[in-house]
Structure formats: structure tokens, C-alpha cells
């Protein structure tokens, strides 16, 4: 079994993989160039890739031996799943193991954006902190506010659980109404518009699909309160980033906290970089030891399961397994 792995992974999962398969590992800590990725995929039975590897139709067309694409991440918008399914290639991902880590960073971004953490730290580091003052860096409250969760999947529910501890009222929108609605004390909004109008903080937890691309644009940002905060830990393209930059500059909303961007890494000239009311993280939602090691274990388990004819724990197109 030949397997191509596009990045070095934390923990010992790679050693486990090496003990049973011929592993080709891209040695550099930067994305594999497209041509190299294609050449490697053409010879591989299994591919272990990350969010930065576009697994498109053209790549799949040359990957004649490929039986499994194991994505190191829960989101799999980097993969053309329909094209993989048509070729009976299993697509696997890593849910659950990163739920807590991502929910934690969402809460962190909410607090940082509400309380002007970035501006405060800049002020101190640049030695502009004159004295304590009753009016210094007054932000928006966080505890006991109304939180709107867009996309109540596993991460959205983990955010709701945490928000309860902060005494928040929690709204959510979306077609799915999970059983936890009652248990978590959530209020369902029949429309996104209603949620945006009524929330003090809006947190995005939807996957990137053709339906959610650009879900939050100028019109939606205009519906939010001028005191509101927007947090995005899902995928950058769920938000129209140019519209968000205008909304933040012109104070249609109070602040934003972002971990993900339309283009990653965020281009040097992106207008968001100039805005003080925007907390920017470099896509680190799952970047803690338990999550990243758990992701490596699950990605390797998924990959080996398919290659060895067993059912993987997490497969997004299980119809190819039958
Ligand atoms: C991963 C993520 O770190 O799981 C996801 O969907 O966005 C991140 O947690 C990233 O996908 C690495 O491939």
C-alpha cells in the first residue's frame, strides 16, 4: 500500500502508518506544489491531506489507484467529494476530536473582540499606556449577552454549552433542530435575519458549501446591531470579507474575531489588517495537543480502515464503501 501524506503530523500516528504502509511524506512545512501533489496522487492508494491541499477533479482524474482521501480536518471543502464519489474513492474527515478546541477558540475570540483585547495589548506593548482611566478601552459586555449561533452542529453545540456557563441567552438558526435544543436552553430562530437582528454576538459554525458561501454579506451585516460582534471559526468564504472590512471601518458593527479567511494566509494588503476592531488569528481553531494528535490518529485510522477493507470511523461519502 502506497500512501502520500502532505504534511508531518504531531504524535505517533505517522509511525503507526509507516509500520504497515509505504509512506511518502512531503518533507516541507508548506503546501505541496500542485504538480507534485498530482504526481504523488497518481501513484498512491491512499492520500492523507489537509485543508490547504485542493483535491480537485483534475487531480482525481490521474489518481487511478486512489481508494481513500483522508482529510486532516473536519471541514472538507478542499475536496471535490462528488468527483471522488463518482470514482468510488472514500473521503474521510476528523470530526469530534477537535470540537472542544474549536469551541474554545470561538469563545476566546468573542471575549477578545468584545473587550478590545488586541487594541489593549497594542497600547501596552507600544508603551502608550498612560494611566488607569475610567474610560480606557471600554468594550462591549460578554457575559449574559445574547449569542446567535449560525449552524448548530457539534462545534455549535459545544459553543452553546460554554455560553450557558456565561449566563447567555442563546439563539440559533438553521434547518436542523437537534434534541439538545431543550437541554441547552436554546431558542430557534426561523430565519437568519431574525438571529442577526437580535444577537449581541454572532458566531458562525456552518461548513462551507455552495449554500453557505457569502452567507454573511453587506445586507446581513447591516441587520446586526451597531454594538454587535461577529466571530468566524468555520471557513472564511462564509463571510464576504470585503463587506466585513467596510462594516468594521464604518462601524456598522462593533468588532469581529476571525480565525479563517477567504484567502489563507491572509494577503499582506488585506484591509482587515488595518482595522483595530478586528481580532485576527491564523487558522488555529484546532491547534492544541489533544485535538491535533486526535486528528492525526483519526486520519490514520480512517485511511487504514478503507485500505484494509474495514469501515472507517468518519466517512463523508459512505455510499462508496458498500
Ligand atoms: C484544521 C479545520 O486544522 O478541521 C478543520 O476543518 O479547519 C482545522 O481545525 C485544518 O482543517 C487542517 O487541515
Amino acid at each position: 500500500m502506497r500512501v502520500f501524506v502532505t504534511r508531518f503530523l504531531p504524535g505517533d500516528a505517522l509511525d503507526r502508518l509507516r509500520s504497515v504502509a509505504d509512506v511518502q511524506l512531503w518533507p516541507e512545512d508548506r503546501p505541496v506544489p500542485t504538480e507534485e501533489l498530482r504526481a504523488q496522487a497518481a501513484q498512491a492508494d491512499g492520500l492523507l491531506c489537509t485543508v490547504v491541499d485542493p483535491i480537485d477533479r483534475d487531480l482525481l482524474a490521474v489518481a487511478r489507484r486512489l481508494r481513500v482521501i483522508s482529510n486532516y480536518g473536519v471541514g472538507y471543502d478542499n475536496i471535490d467529494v462528488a468527483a471522488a464519489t463518482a470514482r468510488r474513492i472514500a473521503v474521510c474527515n476528523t470530526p469530534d476530536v477537535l470540537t472542544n478546541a474549536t469551541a474554545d477558540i470561538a469563545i476566546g475570540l468573542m471575549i477578545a473582540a468584545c473587550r478590545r483585547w488586541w487594541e489593549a495589548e497594542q497600547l501596552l506593548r507600544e508603551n502608550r499606556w498612560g494611566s488607569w482611566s475610567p474610560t480606557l478601552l471600554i468594550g462591549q459586555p460578554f457575559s449574559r449577552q445574547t449569542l446567535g449561533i449560525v449552524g448548530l452542529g457539534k462545534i455549535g453545540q459545544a459553543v452553546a454549552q460554554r455560553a450557558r456557563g456565561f449566563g447567555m441567552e442563546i439563539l440559533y438558526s438553521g434547518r436542523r433542530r437537534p434534541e439538545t435544543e431543550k437541554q441547552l436552553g436554546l431558542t430557534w430562530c426561523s430565519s437568519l435575519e431574525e438571529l442577526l437582528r437580535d444577537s449581541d454576538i454572532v458566531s458562525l459554525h456552518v461548513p462551507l458549501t455552495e449554500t453557505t458561501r457569502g452567507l454573511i454579506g453587506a445586507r446581513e451585516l447591516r441587520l446586526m446591531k451597531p454594538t454587535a460582534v461577529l466571530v468566524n471559526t468555520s471557513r472564511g468564504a462564509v463571510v464576504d470579507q470585503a463587506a466585513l472590512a467596510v462594516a468594521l471601518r464604518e462601524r456598522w458593527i462593533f468588532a469581529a474575531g476571525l480565525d479563517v479567511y477567504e484567502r489563507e494566509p491572509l494577503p499582506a494588503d488585506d484591509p482587515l489588517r488595518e482595522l483595530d476592531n478586528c481580532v485576527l488569528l491564523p487558522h488555529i481553531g484546532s491547534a492544541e495537543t489533544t485535538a491535533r494528535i486526535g486528528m492525526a490518529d483519526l486520519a490514520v485510522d480512517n485511511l487504514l480502515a478503507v485500505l484494509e477493507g474495514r469501515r472507517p470511523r468518519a466517512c463523508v461519502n459512505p455510499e462508496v464503501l458498500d
Side-chain angles (χ1 to χ4, degrees):
M1 290 187 298
R2 185 174 161 123
V3 173
F4 182 57
V5 180
T6 66
R7 283 300 173 89
F8 177 78
L9 304 178
D12 56 15
L14 272 183
D15 291 337
R16 193 154 55 80
L17 185 59
R18 280 196 187 98
S19 70
V20 291
D22 167 14
V23 175
Q24 307 295 315
L25 171 67
W26 173 246
E28 297 180 39
D29 201 12
R30 65 178 177 102
V32 186
T34 311
E35 283 314 307
E36 174 71 10
L37 185 59
R38 262 185 217 170
Q40 289 287 352
Q43 302 173 59
D45 302 293
L47 183 61
L48 199 158
C49 57
T50 77
V51 67
V52 300
D53 304 312
I55 311 298
D56 57 18
R57 214 163 264 279
D58 294 342
L59 179 142
L60 293 171
V62 297
R64 299 191 194 286
R65 286 171 56 168
L66 199 62
R67 286 161 56 205
V68 55
I69 301 160
S70 183
N71 205 43
Y72 183 79
V74 66
Y76 48 86
D77 46 280
N78 55 311
I79 301 169
D80 187 334
V81 178
T85 307
R87 294 178 181 275
R88 299 201 68 74
I89 299 170
V91 177
C92 300
N93 66 340
T94 61
D96 306 323
V97 288
L98 47 64
T99 298
N100 286 331
T102 311
D104 291 346
I105 213 91
I107 296 285
L109 278 172
M110 289 176 206
I111 298 177
C114 284
R115 300 297 301 272
R116 306 173 65 180
W117 197 307
W118 158 243
E119 280 178 86
E121 192 161 343
Q122 276 190 108
L123 180 98
L124 184 146
R125 287 183 192 266
E126 291 169 7
N127 214 18
R128 290 185 285 111
W129 182 20
S131 96
W132 184 90
S133 155
T135 55
L136 180 67
L137 288 163
I138 298 178
Q140 297 297 332
F142 170 68
S143 290
R144 312 196 73 76
Q145 300 302 288
T146 299
L147 169 65
I149 297 180
V150 182
L152 198 70
K154 288 175 181 165
I155 298 172
Q157 290 178 57
V159 168
Q161 237 162 18
R162 286 157 176 71
R164 264 175 66 104
F166 289 98
M168 295 176 121
E169 187 186 332
I170 307 163
L171 313 179
Y172 79 100
S173 64
R175 270 169 305 166
R176 278 196 310 153
R177 298 187 63 173
E179 283 169 16
T180 43
E181 179 182 300
K182 271 209 186 70
Q183 182 197 328
L184 290 171
L186 312 180
T187 306
W188 182 68
C189 293
S190 58
S191 70
L192 175 64
E193 287 75 11
E194 186 187 333
L195 177 141
L196 294 171
R197 270 193 208 104
D198 293 348
S199 299
D200 299 306
I201 300 166
V202 174
S203 193
L204 306 177
H205 300 284
V206 287
L208 178 62
T209 64
E210 282 323 303
T211 320
T212 62
R213 189 177 292 278
L215 185 71
I216 305 296
R219 180 182 153 270
E220 289 70 27
L221 291 160
R222 289 256 190 220
L223 293 174
M224 292 173 66
K225 300 180 187 181
T227 50
V229 158
L230 176 72
V231 165
N232 190 9
T233 54
S234 62
R235 283 293 181 266
V238 171
V239 177
D240 174 343
Q241 212 165 284
L244 176 62
V246 174
L248 289 168
R249 190 179 310 116
E250 296 181 0
R251 306 279 166 168
W252 307 353
I253 65 173
F254 181 75
L258 307 175
D259 186 44
V260 288
Y261 307 90
E262 281 175 349
R263 275 180 62 199
E264 295 182 5
L266 187 67
D269 60 354
D270 193 285
L272 289 176
R273 289 177 185 263
E274 303 304 319
L275 298 169
D276 276 341
N277 55 346
C278 194
V279 182
L280 306 172
L281 297 181
H283 200 150
I284 56 162
S286 63
E288 45 96 310
T289 51
T290 311
R292 287 285 164 89
I293 292 172
M295 290 161 71
D297 282 333
L298 183 50
V300 165
D301 287 351
N302 284 336
L303 187 127
L304 287 177
V306 176
L307 293 182
E308 291 170 355
R310 291 176 285 110
R311 270 195 109 72
R313 271 197 280 157
C315 180
V316 303
N317 59 348
E319 61 271 30
V320 306
L321 302 170
D322 304 327

